[in-house]
Amino acid sequence: MASKLLRAVVLGPPGSGKGTVCERIARSFGLQHLSSGQFLRESLGGGGEAGALAQQYLERGLLVPDHVITRVMMAELEKRREQHWLLDGFPRTLGQARALDGICQLDLVISLNIPFETLKDRLSARWVHPASGRVYNMDFNPPQSQGVDDLTGEPLVQRDEDRPEAVAARLRKYKDAAKPVIELYKSRGILHSFSGTETNKIWPYVYGLLSSRIPPILSEEEH
């Protein structure tokens, strides 16, 4: 393992394959995959102040605001000051990026650029297992049995935000919020953008970039 700690972020709109890329990086390079969605779910049952705040918004059917997600993430990152890590789903806004600046210096930001039509198709085919956050795509990653989670057998749901009529607005909202974040990291010279429609075709380039910073523990083909 490299002596210097590596702190990286993967940015990308909903449906861009961020989670898949992060999982591959984590396995190949031994980085901890830190998902904001996962930490938020865990915080709801953890009894902490940020989790209780998040629960209040979710119970009313509202999006959890930036400042609550930032508090959850800052608490988790404080516990990992001596570890290599990879952030997934954070920062999404300039405010979150500034908060992150306060506790660490990023080495690498990977931005996934996927065509709008591809994202729209992927999201509209997406179903989730609410309790775990496991995501299925009916086109290329369907469940073993129609409509139920592979591990628990519990029903899958299509979130309102993944319904075709909501997807375009959701992607526009992401783009508006992410633009200043991308510009910030670009100005610092740490942004690396990858474009394409298939994760498997983007992956070798991502692997090559990471290999130049930290020794891999798995070869590129071991996926």
Side-chain angles (χ1 to χ4, degrees):
M1 194 63 85
S3 55
K4 182 183 183 300
L5 291 174
L6 185 78
R7 305 295 174 58
V9 167
V10 177
L11 301 175
S16 61
K18 248 191 344 287
T20 302
V21 168
C22 286
E23 286 168 10
R24 290 185 181 188
I25 292 173
R27 283 202 306 270
S28 297
F29 296 94
L31 273 68
Q32 276 207 70
H33 175 191
L34 308 182
S35 161
S36 60
Q38 182 66 31
F39 286 141
L40 189 58
R41 281 189 294 275
E42 289 172 0
S43 76
L44 297 178
E49 188 183 344
L53 263 176
Q55 186 76 50
Q56 289 175 21
Y57 286 94
L58 293 171
E59 284 173 353
R60 289 181 288 173
L62 301 172
L63 287 173
V64 180
D66 264 13
H67 69 91
V68 177
I69 293 174
T70 300
R71 285 174 67 176
V72 170
M73 293 305 293
M74 293 300 105
E76 292 296 337
L77 293 174
E78 282 289 350
K79 301 174 192 172
R80 294 167 170 81
R81 283 190 172 273
E82 302 304 318
Q83 298 169 2
H84 296 281
W85 49 245
L86 175 71
L87 279 178
D88 168 8
F90 187 93
R92 293 188 183 191
T93 66
L94 195 55
Q96 290 178 348
R98 298 292 188 200
L100 189 56
D101 280 346
I103 65 164
C104 73
Q105 182 178 345
L106 291 177
D107 302 293
L108 197 62
V109 177
I110 292 166
S111 177
L112 302 177
N113 298 324
I114 314 297
F116 178 80
E117 286 301 320
T118 301
L119 294 172
K120 202 164 71 170
D121 290 346
R122 285 182 185 177
L123 289 171
S124 300
R126 189 152 84 163
W127 291 68
V128 300
H129 177 240
S132 68
R134 275 187 291 278
V135 176
Y136 297 87
N137 184 291
M138 295 307 162
D139 294 332
F140 56 82
N141 177 36
Q144 293 167 8
S145 299
Q146 181 69 28
V148 297
D149 178 53
D150 289 348
L151 298 186
T152 65
E154 293 170 351
L156 302 178
V157 301
Q158 185 171 48
R159 298 180 301 194
D160 289 343
E161 63 193 39
D162 289 336
R163 297 184 192 280
E165 59 274 17
V167 164
R170 186 178 169 203
L171 291 173
R172 276 196 300 274
K173 186 177 178 184
Y174 169 83
K175 189 175 180 181
D176 291 344
K179 189 177 179 183
V181 178
I182 289 168
E183 290 300 322
L184 174 71
Y185 293 138
K186 188 176 180 181
S187 71
R188 293 180 183 175
I190 59 172
L191 183 79
H192 300 264
S193 295
F194 299 91
S195 301
T197 58
E198 295 177 41
T199 301
N200 284 341
K201 291 185 177 176
I202 293 173
W203 169 244
Y205 299 99
V206 174
Y207 183 92
L209 171 67
L210 267 295
S211 296
S212 69
R213 305 297 180 93
I214 185 171
I217 57 175
L218 289 179
S219 73
E220 181 192 319
E221 290 76 25
E222 290 182 75
H223 289 282

